[in-house]
């Protein structure tokens, strides 16, 4: 069996332990704290490393030039500097963790590259409806500025995440292949049910097409494709549709970091905690289906990552 890498959990969720504030609903979400409380951001990274995460994602999901200019009154240059400083917080946490612990593998710092829809703050990252009217060029140009800032600051991998539509995923694959030929990355989708990504395309077909296209391009840097910020019950059928009929050697390496199983609505917030199945219970079946990277997203804390790590180690 190939090695399974444990990711971190829901950054805003664990951050709330340190800032004690309701973060959901802010147009900058957790990205505001990069400016207002960087120490809490540093501590949150450290929590996940101490829980056993081998990859930590920068707090840049909701960080954009437009967002920082509008809601923090920064210039374009200042916005890009804040994104770079945010990467440094993850690096500092890794340095501190490695100084305090015996480490066999250097943890990776992964740039969180959220979808185009996230900065619109209209929920379209969960529908992908902008695929119907925004051009590929616009999406690539918007992503490029943040990607360049993260790479200049020194990340190991790009986590292109919560992508709701095939069009944006293909635009990103094309851009990574042409403009960033030496940069490793993954692509993970937002899915609306156990068969389709948010915009409605079939998940298994989309994943297969992307993987085949990467191979056709000769792009060896796409480390995995998968899902994040989804209900954990969707994951097994989604992964089964991708890999179950493939010979072992031809399986696509998959990535999964789902929500806790709680469901969010603007009116009531997060509901259903008492009905959640702990994520570590799913780990054996996901690994069996080809998951090579496993972590958590919204409503998952450092303690959840600790339990996922134990489940992975027991395999």
């Amino acid at each position: 069996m190939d090695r399974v890498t444990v990711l971190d959990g829901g950054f805003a969720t664990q951050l709330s332990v340190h800032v004690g504030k309701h973060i959901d609903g802010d147009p900058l979400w957790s990205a505001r704290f990069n400016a207002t409380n960087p120490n809490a951001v540093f501590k949150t990274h450290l929590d996940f490393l101490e829980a056993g995460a081998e990859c930590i994602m920068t707090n840049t999901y909701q960080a954009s030039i437009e967002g920082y200019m509008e809601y923090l009154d920064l210039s374009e240059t200042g916005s890009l500097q804040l994104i770079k400083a945010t990467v440094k917080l993850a690096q500092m946490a890794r340095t501190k963790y490695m100084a305090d612990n015996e480490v066999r593998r250097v943890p990776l710092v992964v740039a969180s590259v959220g979808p185009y829809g996230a900065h619109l703050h209209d929920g379209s990252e969960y529908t992908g409806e902008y695929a119907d009217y925004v051009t590929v060029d616009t999406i690539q140009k918007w992503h490029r500025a943040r990607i360049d800032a993260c790479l200049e600051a020194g990340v190991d991998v790009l986590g292109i995440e919560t992508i709701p539509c095939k069009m944006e995923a293909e635009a990103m694959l094309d851009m990574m292949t042409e403009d960033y030929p030496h940069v490793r990355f993954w692509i993970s989708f937002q899915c609306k049910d156990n068969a389709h990504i948010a915009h409605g395309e079939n998940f298994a077909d989309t994943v297969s097409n992307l993987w085949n296209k990467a191979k056709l391009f000769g792009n060896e840097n796409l480390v995995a494709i998968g899902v994040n910020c989804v209900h954990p019950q969707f994951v097994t059928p989604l992964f089964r549709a991708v890999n179950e009929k493939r010979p072992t050697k031809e399986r696509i390496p998959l990535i999964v970091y789902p929500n806790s199983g709680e469901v969010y609505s603007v009116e009531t917030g997060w509901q259903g905690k008492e009905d959640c199945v702990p994520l570590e219970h799913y780990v054996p079946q996901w690994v069996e289906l080809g998951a090579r990277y496993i972590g958590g997203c919204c409503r998952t804390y450092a303690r959840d990552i600790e339990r996922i790590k134990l489940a992975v180690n027991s395999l």
Side-chain angles (χ1 to χ4, degrees), residues 66-262:
E66 297 90 333
Y68 279 157
M69 289 174 76
E70 183 173 353
Y71 298 108
L72 288 182
D73 206 22
L74 294 176
S75 65
E76 182 173 338
T77 303
S79 300
L80 289 169
Q81 283 173 340
L82 181 53
I83 290 170
K84 290 178 189 176
T86 302
V87 173
K88 298 294 182 195
L89 292 172
Q91 292 169 339
M92 285 162 56
R94 173 172 66 181
T95 301
K96 164 90 171 124
Y97 174 72
M98 289 175 67
D100 294 346
N101 296 274
E102 236 176 77
V103 177
R104 279 188 300 179
R105 265 176 107 219
V106 177
L108 298 175
V109 171
V110 181
S112 169
V113 181
Y116 179 83
H119 89 285
L120 301 175
H121 196 59
D122 61 359
S124 59
E125 75 228 71
Y126 298 107
T127 65
E129 61 186 37
Y130 54 88
D132 303 330
Y133 61 85
V134 177
T135 66
V136 166
D137 189 55
T138 298
I139 282 183
Q140 289 178 334
K141 188 178 176 187
W142 181 82
H143 277 292
R144 192 175 277 114
R146 179 173 51 174
I147 286 173
D148 287 345
C150 287
L151 289 172
E152 280 172 37
V155 295
D156 303 304
V157 184
L158 299 183
I160 299 168
E161 60 175 349
T162 329
I163 301 299
C165 48
K166 181 181 179 183
M167 172 267 209
E168 186 169 12
E170 289 187 333
M172 295 303 282
L173 176 62
D174 292 350
M175 184 173 83
M176 293 305 299
T177 303
E178 290 166 25
D179 301 343
Y180 303 96
H182 305 299
V183 177
R184 290 181 296 165
F185 64 102
W186 71 62
I187 296 175
S188 62
F189 287 97
Q190 161 63 220
C191 293
K192 65 179 182 178
D193 57 29
N194 62 10
H196 304 90
I197 58 178
H199 189 246
E201 298 90 346
N202 180 275
F203 174 77
D205 291 347
T206 303
V207 169
S208 295
N209 290 340
L210 271 180
W211 189 252
N212 292 340
K213 194 174 184 183
K215 294 298 160 217
L216 193 64
F217 284 167
N219 190 330
E220 298 294 326
N221 292 319
L222 178 57
V223 298
I225 309 178
V227 295
N228 75 290
C229 204
V230 299
H231 196 292
Q233 288 179 352
F234 294 165
V235 178
T236 298
L238 287 165
F239 281 7
R240 196 172 278 142
V242 172
N243 269 343
E244 195 169 46
K245 292 178 181 170
R246 287 174 181 266
T248 306
K249 286 187 175 175
E250 291 174 27
R251 286 190 157 187
I252 295 171
L254 299 173
I255 184 166
V256 51
Y257 45 116
N259 297 336
S260 65
E262 294 164 73

